[in-house]
Amino acid sequence: MTFIFIVLLYLGLNLGQETSVLAGTPPKPTLSVQSGSVVARGKPVTISCEVTKGAREYRLYKEGGPHPWRTQNTLEVTNKAEFLIPSIEQQYGGRYRCYYKTAAGWSEHSDPLELVVTGLYSKPSLSVQPSSVVTSGENITCQCGSQLGFSRFVLTKEGEEKPSLILDSVFINSTGQFQGLFPVGPVTPSQKWTFRCYGYHVISPQVWSEPSDPLEIHVSVSQPQDYTKENLIRIGVSVLVLVLLGILLYEDQHSQRRIQYTASRENSASVKVAETSE
């Protein structure tokens, strides 16, 4: 009797676990943008919501907007829904999430996707210190500046989806500009170092200026220096100095001998004159 009770208890626990799994919340989908999450004003944008298991109903919502913002229903089970924005404008900048529905219910929400719209303000300037031509392993400073009162500046590197750095702007009295100084490095020739920068206001962090003109950093590989020529020159100069010192020393000794010889003859002549007078 005890054995039968244990078996029934085991089956009941397993059945309860399986029922819990079946009734569990479907896993969260993945949200992405085909052309990247930083988009120029007026460009078309397609936001994709992908799932591991098929679904017939997908929903997309934007934080601060209506819930849901967009809904897509399909006749057949699919693994992806695409939401098209024909021409992106300022109001489309923001954070998005998506979710979907299965027989088990609604899924978790996806991780947030931040969609940024650029081109709403005039472009800032971008320069580099100390130079745009540097040696491998050096550090540089990219300076982004504008006369517009941007709260922050963003530095992006070509080939990277996410911004490299975001800094609060600082007003410079001497230039009358707002600027941000971005330390970059050490730079290496194995990568392409092309940068752009943007400015934006804190009240609308997903609405950026036009991009600055591209700034390309040229990285040269430092070669080990050959000091043979320099060493030969140094040796030659040293030998020349020694020869000159030898000549000067010889001339000095020869001059001393001549003086001594002259003085000796003058003394001898004086002695002879004295003897003759006596």
Side-chain angles (χ1 to χ4, degrees), residues 109-186:
H109 291 172
S110 67
D111 292 333
L113 169 72
E114 190 164 8
L115 191 61
V116 173
V117 183
T118 69
L120 274 296
Y121 316 106
S122 58
K123 64 184 178 183
S125 61
L126 184 60
S127 59
V128 63
Q129 300 171 353
S131 170
S132 60
V133 180
V134 295
T135 304
S136 177
E138 287 189 19
N139 296 313
I140 59 174
T141 299
C142 293
Q143 178 178 312
C144 187
S146 173
Q147 291 184 338
L148 299 179
F150 293 125
S151 306
R152 291 175 183 163
F153 289 104
V154 183
L155 184 71
T156 62
K157 182 172 179 285
E158 189 175 292
E160 295 183 357
E161 183 177 347
K162 294 184 178 180
S164 300
L165 291 168
I166 299 177
L167 291 178
D168 291 335
S169 69
V170 177
F171 181 70
I172 308 299
N173 289 319
S174 59
T175 61
Q177 281 196 336
F178 294 83
Q179 74 172 27
L181 298 177
F182 298 89
V184 176

Side-chain angles (χ1 to χ4, degrees), residues 34-53:
Q34 294 178 356
S35 57
S37 59
V38 178
V39 187
R41 180 184 183 186
K43 296 289 185 179
V45 174
T46 300
I47 302 176
S48 299
C49 183
E50 297 187 55
V51 300
T52 54
K53 294 184 178 181

Side-chain angles (χ1 to χ4, degrees), residues 46-259:
T46 300
I47 302 176
S48 299
C49 183
E50 297 187 55
V51 300
T52 54
K53 294 184 178 181
R56 285 198 177 101
E57 185 174 351
Y58 296 83
R59 289 185 176 180
L60 178 70
Y61 79 94
K62 177 177 178 290
E63 291 184 4
H67 198 125
W69 186 63
R70 298 276 180 89
T71 300
Q72 187 174 119
N73 294 295
T74 59
L75 296 175
E76 297 180 354
V77 172
T78 62
N79 292 95
K80 181 170 69 172
E82 294 184 340
F83 300 89
L84 174 65
I85 302 175
S87 177
I88 195 165
E89 295 295 335
Q90 178 177 353
Q91 64 270 24
Y92 295 115
R95 292 164 65 91
Y96 293 81
R97 295 178 190 264
C98 75
Y99 55 105
Y100 61 99
K101 187 178 182 180
T102 68
W106 289 101
S107 72
E108 296 181 59
H109 291 172
S110 67
D111 292 333
L113 169 72
E114 190 164 8
L115 191 61
V116 173
V117 183
T118 69
L120 274 296
Y121 316 106
S122 58
K123 64 184 178 183
S125 61
L126 184 60
S127 59
V128 63
Q129 300 171 353
S131 170
S132 60
V133 180
V134 295
T135 304
S136 177
E138 287 189 19
N139 296 313
I140 59 174
T141 299
C142 293
Q143 178 178 312
C144 187
S146 173
Q147 291 184 338
L148 299 179
F150 293 125
S151 306
R152 291 175 183 163
F153 289 104
V154 183
L155 184 71
T156 62
K157 182 172 179 285
E158 189 175 292
E160 295 183 357
E161 183 177 347
K162 294 184 178 180
S164 300
L165 291 168
I166 299 177
L167 291 178
D168 291 335
S169 69
V170 177
F171 181 70
I172 308 299
N173 289 319
S174 59
T175 61
Q177 281 196 336
F178 294 83
Q179 74 172 27
L181 298 177
F182 298 89
V184 176
V187 296
T188 60
S190 60
Q191 300 182 38
K192 187 173 183 180
W193 301 86
T194 301
F195 297 95
R196 288 178 174 84
C197 76
Y198 303 79
Y200 71 84
H201 302 284
V202 172
I203 57 174
S204 52
Q206 290 90 19
V207 177
W208 295 359
S209 69
E210 293 182 4
S212 67
D213 293 332
L215 172 65
E216 186 173 357
I217 307 301
H218 302 277
V219 183
S220 62
V221 180
S222 58
Q223 299 291 340
Q225 295 185 5
D226 185 3
Y227 293 103
T228 303
K229 184 176 180 180
E230 287 81 356
N231 289 335
L232 289 175
I233 293 173
R234 292 191 186 97
I235 292 172
V237 171
S238 300
V239 170
L240 181 60
V241 170
L242 290 175
V243 169
L244 290 174
L245 288 175
I247 294 173
L248 291 173
L249 181 60
Y250 173 79
E251 290 290 339
D252 183 66
Q253 291 178 349
H254 183 66
S255 177
Q256 291 293 334
R257 290 195 190 98
R258 289 178 61 185
I259 292 172

